Amino acid sequence: MIVTHHDGKLRLRFGYNPDTVLAVKAAPDGRRYDLKSKEWILPCTIDNVRFCLDELRIDSAELRDILAGIERPLERNNGRKVDWKTTPFKHQVEGLELLLSNDALALFWEQGTGKTLPTIKAIEYRKVRTLIVCPKTVITAWVKEFGKYSNIVPGVIGGRDRDSVAAHAQVAIINYDLLHRIELTGWDMVVFDESQYIKSSTAKRSKAAYDLAKSAKYRVLLTGT
């Protein structure tokens, strides 16, 4: 089996073998088959790299180097250490540096370019009480991203226990429509995802967002729109 690494993907090439195909299909973080190149393509995550080394028994110095790079905390000239739990793209590393170097910052990146990963790492690094505000439709996506890339388990403000979560959670997620309906105090950092939702200064949720931001030391805007 031949394995190569390019653009954050692992590419596996081997002669057809039903057992090997079944084994590759068990890759923990997904896989797809490229008909054109006749290769199996896996996202280059820490779990997939370990899977190739341990389960597929691929003896590859390149894979071992990749694994070491993922597991080794990022060390910058300013002494920061960040455990990414994956291989970040260059722009994500730069985005994190910007987030940690500014009290207020907007990441206006194209959709699908990975704005949540550096934001989660900034939340981890600062260790302050953080509220993420987003549309209701993406709350689940945020919870999944935390589950994949962080040991933090965020609370979701909603339902019967919303007041308790709002009062006690270290990291919490709330949808825009609840902002003006619940008391939100004591947040050191606020993240407004899909921030085009608060572009109208006269809307109730925009006014609530502005008031919330005034009391927070750190403020982040995210949107690809």
Side-chain angles (χ1 to χ4, degrees):
M1 184 180 294
I2 299 173
V3 59
T4 56
H5 175 245
H6 182 66
D7 288 339
K9 301 288 190 299
L10 300 173
R11 308 181 74 95
L12 309 181
R13 179 188 288 269
F14 54 88
Y16 179 73
N17 181 301
D19 293 336
T20 305
V21 171
L22 284 174
V24 172
K25 285 183 176 181
D29 286 332
R31 76 288 179 274
R32 67 179 177 86
Y33 185 70
D34 187 341
L35 288 171
K36 186 176 181 180
S37 65
K38 294 183 173 22
E39 295 173 320
W40 285 92
I41 300 177
L42 285 62
C44 187
T45 65
I46 189 168
D47 287 338
N48 274 349
V49 173
R50 286 173 174 162
F51 172 78
C52 289
L53 288 168
D54 299 337
E55 302 300 325
L56 299 183
R57 301 186 183 280
I58 299 174
D59 185 15
S60 167
E62 183 180 17
L63 281 182
R64 289 191 291 273
D65 288 343
I66 291 171
L67 182 61
I70 294 173
E71 292 180 327
R72 186 184 307 120
L74 177 70
E75 296 191 21
R76 308 294 288 174
N77 292 333
N78 53 18
R80 293 180 180 135
K81 294 183 179 181
V82 179
D83 182 4
W84 288 90
K85 297 187 183 299
T86 186
T87 305
F89 290 104
K90 181 181 178 182
H91 70 271
Q92 291 175 313
V93 175
E94 293 171 348
L96 177 61
E97 287 299 306
L98 289 170
L99 286 167
L100 295 180
S101 300
N102 294 275
D103 288 351
L105 188 80
L107 293 183
F108 292 158
W109 293 355
E110 295 278 347
Q111 292 184 8
T113 51
K115 297 180 285 293
T116 57
L117 179 58
T119 305
I120 288 172
K121 293 300 143 182
I123 292 170
E124 279 186 348
Y125 188 86
R126 281 189 169 135
K127 295 181 175 64
V128 297
R129 199 159 182 257
T130 303
L131 181 67
I132 300 164
V133 188
C134 63
K136 188 175 183 179
T137 53
V138 299
I139 288 177
T140 300
W142 271 99
V143 172
K144 286 183 178 179
E145 291 290 288
F146 270 100
K148 193 170 185 179
Y149 300 119
S150 176
N151 294 326
I152 295 173
V153 180
V156 176
I157 299 175
R160 295 179 180 178
D161 64 343
R162 68 186 191 183
D163 292 328
S164 177
V165 175
H168 302 294
Q170 179 72 10
V171 177
I173 308 170
I174 189 172
N175 76 74
Y176 280 108
D177 293 331
L178 283 180
L179 278 184
H180 63 284
R181 300 177 182 176
I182 186 171
E183 184 177 354
L184 296 165
T185 58
W187 299 100
D188 304 298
M189 179 174 175
V190 289
V191 177
F192 297 102
D193 189 19
E194 302 291 352
S195 57
Q196 71 273 12
Y197 273 65
I198 52 173
K199 67 182 180 181
S200 173
S201 61
T202 58
K204 288 183 179 180
R205 63 186 174 198
S206 297
K207 292 178 180 179
Y210 301 158
D211 289 340
L212 179 63
K214 287 177 184 177
S215 63
K217 180 177 180 181
Y218 305 110
R219 301 168 301 283
V220 179
L221 293 181
L222 304 174
T223 184
T225 299

